[in-house]
Amino acid sequence: MRAARVLIVGCGALGSAQAEALARAGVGRLRIVDRDFVEPSNLQRQTMFTESDAQNRLPKAVAAANHLREINSEIEIEPHVSDVNHSNVEQLIDECDVVVDGTDNFATRYLINDACVKHNVRWIYGAAVGSYGVTMTVRPHQTACLRCLFEEAPTAASAPTCDTAGVIMPIINIVAAVQVSESLKLLTGHIEDLHGSLMQFDVWRNEWRKIDPGTAREDCPACGLGTYETLAAVSQEDAAVLCGRDAVQISPSRPTRVNFASLADRLRRAGEVKFNDYLLRFRTGNFELTVFKDARSIIRGTNEIATARSLYAKYIGN
Ligand SMILES: [Zn+2]
């Protein structure tokens, strides 16, 4: 374990729980990548961070590295403040024994899946929203990958997110605990003890389910056919800084039609929202998001693509 390197993609709620557990377990090298800053609203669930991290608006990767070094000074922590995308994902997973999913969006998960299948790196999917969580361990070309189960990511603006629906901390700890246990089994070579399922939990409804994901599918675009859609620059969700307007435009990676009424219902919990037949406008803090029917959005209040992508993932969701 001391010689192992684990990549944690996303250091929000799941990522901070994973990072702390892996650091305490003594995994020798932790590479942590996150594009966001710590905000006061994160503290309810992101147990790594403190009020002073939020006041100082520290990048999550940096704040996490500071705390982890105090938890275990004998391991190497490698923080990366960046947006994971097609141009850097293969470099980030390079030399990693396991990749753990701490992200909040499917665009990044499909990117991780494609890169890990291509380079034969094991990765552990995990997600939580509300009181529900899900996780699955992917061993490329042996178990099913995320695309074997769901060939395409859900379309933009189709599902609740932690920032619109909320999330309670206990489900985070359950999902992260299973992901960390699976990481330890992989790092110590106990393949036979992996849970081998798509594991789902709901701590409010008291449900716990294991679904058999089967094996790697021959007709899977990634592990069967060897095509890695998200790694090609042309297929990327398109983002562009709108010059002189303090705004960034994000276009979804796949065509969709947004139901404004249901998106507005979800967004009302997080800020001020208005819509007509053509567009929906949502205000939160210093940012204003204008969403069009095709899920293309203009995010005003920033000219940073990473910040805009982060807001898009949090509020529109994909
Ligand atoms: Zn597959």
Side-chain angles (χ1 to χ4, degrees), residues 13 28 54 57 67 72 83 105 125 218 232 235 276 289 299 318:
R57 286 185 60 75
H67 294 300
N72 188 345
D83 182 41
N105 66 87
Y125 160 54
E218 272 173 34
S235 71
N276 59 25
L289 282 71
I299 294 151
N318 61 347

Side-chain angles (χ1 to χ4, degrees), residues 260 264 267-268 271-283 289-291:
F260 285 155
L267 288 172
R268 266 186 205 105
E272 184 194 323
V273 57
K274 284 182 190 161
F275 67 95
N276 59 25
D277 288 347
Y278 313 101
L279 56 87
L280 176 149
R281 194 157 280 164
F282 168 65
R283 250 191 213 105
L289 282 71
T290 303
V291 185

Side-chain angles (χ1 to χ4, degrees), residues 239-262:
V241 177
L242 304 178
C243 287
R245 291 177 57 189
D246 194 28
V248 174
Q249 173 176 280
I250 305 266
S251 303
S253 50
R254 285 201 299 135
T256 183
R257 300 297 288 170
V258 179
N259 180 334
F260 285 155
S262 65

Side-chain angles (χ1 to χ4, degrees), residues 108-119:
T108 313
R109 289 192 187 104
Y110 277 73
L111 195 62
I112 299 171
N113 186 76
D114 288 357
C116 285
V117 170
K118 181 176 172 188
H119 295 281

Side-chain angles (χ1 to χ4, degrees), residues 7-29:
L7 169 66
I8 296 174
V9 186
C11 195
L14 282 172
S16 39
Q18 296 153 2
E20 182 178 337
L22 292 168
R24 288 186 193 276
V27 170
R29 291 175 294 180

Side-chain angles (χ1 to χ4, degrees), residues 113 117 143-149 216-217 220-224:
N113 186 76
V117 170
T143 67
C145 80
L146 194 57
R147 276 191 197 280
C148 289
L149 261 67
R217 259 177 42 199
C220 166
C223 54

Side-chain angles (χ1 to χ4, degrees), residues 119-238:
H119 295 281
N120 214 11
V121 177
R122 302 156 307 177
W123 79 279
I124 305 170
Y125 160 54
V129 63
S131 56
Y132 167 82
V134 58
T135 179
M136 183 174 83
T137 301
V138 176
R139 287 187 297 129
H141 308 291
Q142 296 177 58
T143 67
C145 80
L146 194 57
R147 276 191 197 280
C148 289
L149 261 67
F150 315 103
E151 195 165 313
E152 301 275 7
T155 53
S158 62
T161 70
C162 288
D163 289 270
T164 58
V167 60
I168 56 169
M169 202 198 67
I171 188 61
I172 299 291
N173 285 349
I174 289 182
V175 174
V178 175
Q179 288 179 292
V180 169
S181 307
E182 295 279 284
S183 306
L184 300 181
K185 294 172 202 172
L186 287 170
L187 295 177
T188 55
H190 289 85
I191 304 298
E192 70 286 0
D193 293 322
L194 295 167
H195 64 70
S197 64
L198 180 73
M199 202 180 260
Q200 298 176 310
F201 322 87
D202 192 315
V203 288
W204 210 263
R205 298 202 170 102
N206 311 307
E207 291 166 0
W208 186 307
R209 204 172 21 225
K210 280 171 78 177
I211 295 169
D212 179 6
T215 50
R217 259 177 42 199
E218 272 173 34
D219 60 344
C220 166
C223 54
L225 307 173
T227 54
Y228 307 104
E229 194 190 293
T230 59
L231 301 181
V234 285
S235 71
Q236 270 293 296
E237 158 202 272
D238 182 44

